[in-house]
Each structure stands twice: as C-alpha cells, then as structure tokens.
Amino acid sequence: MLVNRVVSSTVAGLVAVIVGFTSSVALIYQTVINLGGDVNLAASWILALGLSMGLTSISLSLYYRIPILIAWSTPGAALLMANTQGFTLNEAVGGFIFCGAFIFLCGVTGLFEKLIRRLPFQLASAMLAGILIKFGIDVFNQMNAQPILVISMFVTYLICKQLTPKFTMLFVLLVSGLLAWQFKLVKSVELTWQFSEFQYISPIFSLEVLLGIGIPLFIVTMAAQNLPGIAVLKAHNYKTPVSSVLSVTGGVTLLTAPFGSYAINLAAITAAICMTDEVSDKPEKRYWATVAGGIFYIVMAIFAGYLMNLFSSLPTALIYALAGIALFSTITNSIKQSLTDSKISEAAIITLLVTASDLSLFGISSVLWGIVAGSLTLFLQRILRRRAAIKNDGI
C-alpha cells in the first residue's frame, strides 16, 4: 500500500512538473532574450524560479498537510514577453520586486482572502472547469497531428483507469514515451551535463516600471493564477490558507527577483494533476504528490540548461495530450460541483463559458471576466427573485 502511494505520488509530481515546465519555458526564455539577456541568464532565471517553487511547495505542503503546489506565473511570462519592450533588465527586476511586494501585502492584510470568501464555490469550480476544459479538448485536437500516438495514450488511459487506477498516468507516460521513440518523434539533440548558475541583476525603480511592469504583473498573477489555484483546492474540498500562501510566495518573490524569479504563485492546472483519485484514494495523503513535485522542481532548477534541451526533444502532441488526459478527472469533478445548486447553475454555466472563451476586453483575460460575468448574473437573478417574492407577498 505504501509503495503504491509513493509511486502514484511520484508520477503525479513528475507529470505536473513536466507539463508546467514544457508549457511555458519558451515564454521565459524569449522574455530574457527580449530584455537583452542570453541562454546563461535564462538558465539563471529557471534556477531561481525552480528553487523558489520547489522549496515553497515542499515546505507549505508538509506544514499544512494539503497538496499545495507553487508554480511560476505563466500568464505573467506571456505578459512580460509582450510588454517589456523599452525596459531594461534592471528595470524589469524592479517591476518583479513591486509585484512581489503587492502579493506580500495581500497576504499580510488578508484582503484577497476576504474577497474569496464571498465567492460561491460553484462559480469558482465553474471557472476552473472553463480553464481546464481547453486542455481536455486539446487531447482530441492533437489526434490530428499524431493520431496513433494520442489515440494510444487515450485508450491506455481508459483501460488503466478501470484496471489499475493508481498507476494510470504511469502507464500513459510509458506508452507515450515508447511510441514516440518507436515512431522517431523524439528530436535528436546533443545532451551534455551542465549546472545552472545564479546571475544577480540590480533593480531599478521608477513610476514607469511600477505602472508598466509591476502592477500589470501583479494583476495577471492574482487573477489568472492565484484565483484559479484557490479554486482548484476548493474544488477538491481542501481548506486553503490563502493569506499565508500569499505572504510566503510574495516574500520569496521579493528575495529572489534579482535572480530572475519574476513571480511565483499557487499552481492551478498542474496542481490539479496532484489531487486526483489516481494519486491516492485518501485526500489527506495527496500532499505527497506536491512534495514530490517540489523535489522535481529543485532537480529541474539544478540542471535547467540540460533539461531545456531534453524537454525540447519531446513531440508537442505528447506534451499537450499528457496534460489533458491527466486532467480528465478534475474537469469532471469541477463541472459536477459547479452544478450542485440549481439556483446558481445558470450563473455557473455562464462563468464556465466566458472563462473558456477567448474574451480579452481592456487587456483583462477571460478568467477574470468569467468570474465577473457569473457574479453579475447571480447578483441580478437574486435581485429579481426578491422583487418577485415581494410582489407575490403583496398580492
């Protein structure tokens, strides 16, 4: 029993790290290049981010005994890649420190947690489903590119889910790796062992840096990463120490920003991989998966230069299909939980649809608009119901 739990937790942690690393490392690399850096500086950023994520994931998971996985801000990386033209590396680091300070203040004051408590968990679950459903759909989109590989992964999942649920993702990993190698889909790259090294960058602060990098990075990290991360934990019935996590991640970002750790936060999509029944049938034991993920983060950080070459050799279809298949259970549970109250179900569906859309008004992502749309729907429905009830009582 113990061996089964160790293996399933280790596999879940490994899958979470692989998916998180390969899905956005290119954004971080390109951001470094756009700011005038090079490959060695990019490795330094990955080193700082990996160590920060690994140590905080391990310490928070062990302390609270719940699966808390910390990740870098993927939408933050996308924002930086598109929004740092005209800024220097030193100014960018100043923006990272501003962002870390704001996150830290949100944790210390408890403002963000108070806001979250007023949000019905059905809407949070619907938002999570809207985020994850794209990954589920993408499994079948990837069949257009690599039909035999992805169909084999999907069939393996269906069979193993029934026969050996705890080892489902392990078998999917093995089958996908063997088939990719057999079909010569793995790119040939020169792999040499190399250790990453820290490179310190002195920050420069200014109003332009605050408005151009600090505040936008803070908003996108809180709305598109921490909020969904909290939704993941709530959807799996974990009591989330929101303020404490924000204080830790904000404080760590403040300390490590000069080395390239631009923003760390609660993981959402990759964290969900560590919270399924396949990890453990006992929810109180699933935190070992995020501990394993933290260890793999640290390994990733130490060998960042080597791993960047290694993961670039895997076919894109394999990575995207692996992410979607690993999230099937979480997508199912999120949709179920979003529809538990008939009075909120329509608002939940609107939240899901808006979140899953490509809406991006005023530079704000569909994740935040989804919550706004669902909350507005619920607010209007409650007002109209009250007026209808008052009118009926008066008759």
Side-chain angles (χ1 to χ4, degrees), residues 12 33 51-52 115 118 154-155 212 253 269 313 344 358 379 381:
I33 300 302
L51 290 178
S52 299
L115 174 64
R118 301 181 66 87
F154 179 59
V155 172
T253 298
I269 296 166
S313 68
I344 301 180
D358 295 325
F379 176 72
Q381 287 178 338

Side-chain angles (χ1 to χ4, degrees), residues 88-95 97-98 201-206 209-210:
T88 65
L89 272 168
N90 305 84
E91 290 173 327
V93 168
I97 292 175
F98 277 131
I201 304 170
S202 300
I204 292 178
F205 304 102
S206 67
V209 169
L210 172 65

Side-chain angles (χ1 to χ4, degrees), residues 259-318:
F259 301 98
S261 183
Y262 61 92
I264 61 171
N265 44 248
L266 278 168
I269 296 166
T270 50
I273 296 172
C274 299
M275 299 181 195
T276 63
D277 291 336
E278 287 78 18
V279 175
S280 174
D281 54 3
K282 298 179 179 180
E284 68 272 14
K285 298 294 184 181
R286 294 174 188 168
Y287 71 91
W288 286 110
T290 52
V291 171
I295 294 172
F296 285 119
Y297 274 143
I298 294 172
V299 174
M300 174 200 75
I302 295 172
F303 300 105
Y306 174 82
L307 287 175
M308 288 175 74
N309 287 328
L310 177 63
F311 286 125
S312 68
S313 68
L314 298 175
T316 302
L318 186 154

Side-chain angles (χ1 to χ4, degrees), residues 166-198:
K166 291 183 181 294
F167 301 100
T168 299
M169 290 312 301
L170 174 61
F171 282 109
V172 173
L173 268 172
L174 290 174
V175 169
S176 61
L178 288 172
L179 286 175
W181 176 76
Q182 182 66 31
F183 295 149
K184 299 180 180 180
L185 299 175
V186 180
K187 300 175 184 176
S188 178
V189 294
E190 184 179 347
L191 300 176
T192 56
W193 291 101
Q194 51 184 310
F195 291 93
S196 305
E197 296 180 354
F198 286 114

Side-chain angles (χ1 to χ4, degrees), residues 214-231:
I215 292 178
L217 181 58
F218 165 73
I219 292 174
V220 75
T221 298
M222 296 298 285
Q225 288 279 173
N226 279 321
L227 188 57
I230 294 167

Side-chain angles (χ1 to χ4, degrees), residues 10 28 99 105 114 127 145 162 200 221 246 253 281 288 325:
T10 302
I28 297 173
C99 175
L105 288 174
K114 291 175 182 176
M127 181 192 67
Q162 300 301 318
Y200 178 80
T221 298
L246 293 179
T253 298
D281 54 3
W288 286 110
I325 290 172

Side-chain angles (χ1 to χ4, degrees), residues 50-130:
L51 290 178
S52 299
M53 296 185 299
L55 293 174
T56 51
S57 295
I58 293 170
S59 58
L60 289 170
S61 296
L62 290 176
Y63 184 80
Y64 290 105
R65 295 292 192 270
I66 60 176
I68 298 175
L69 189 68
I70 304 301
W72 57 46
S73 175
T74 298
L79 173 74
L80 292 173
M81 190 178 75
N83 203 42
T84 51
Q85 286 81 3
F87 291 101
T88 65
L89 272 168
N90 305 84
E91 290 173 327
V93 168
F96 304 164
I97 292 175
F98 277 131
C99 175
F102 290 142
I103 295 174
F104 178 75
L105 288 174
C106 279
V108 172
T109 59
L111 289 175
F112 193 68
E113 187 168 9
K114 291 175 182 176
L115 174 64
I116 292 302
R117 286 178 179 174
R118 301 181 66 87
L119 180 71
F121 79 91
Q122 289 91 347
L123 295 190
S125 296
M127 181 192 67
L128 176 61

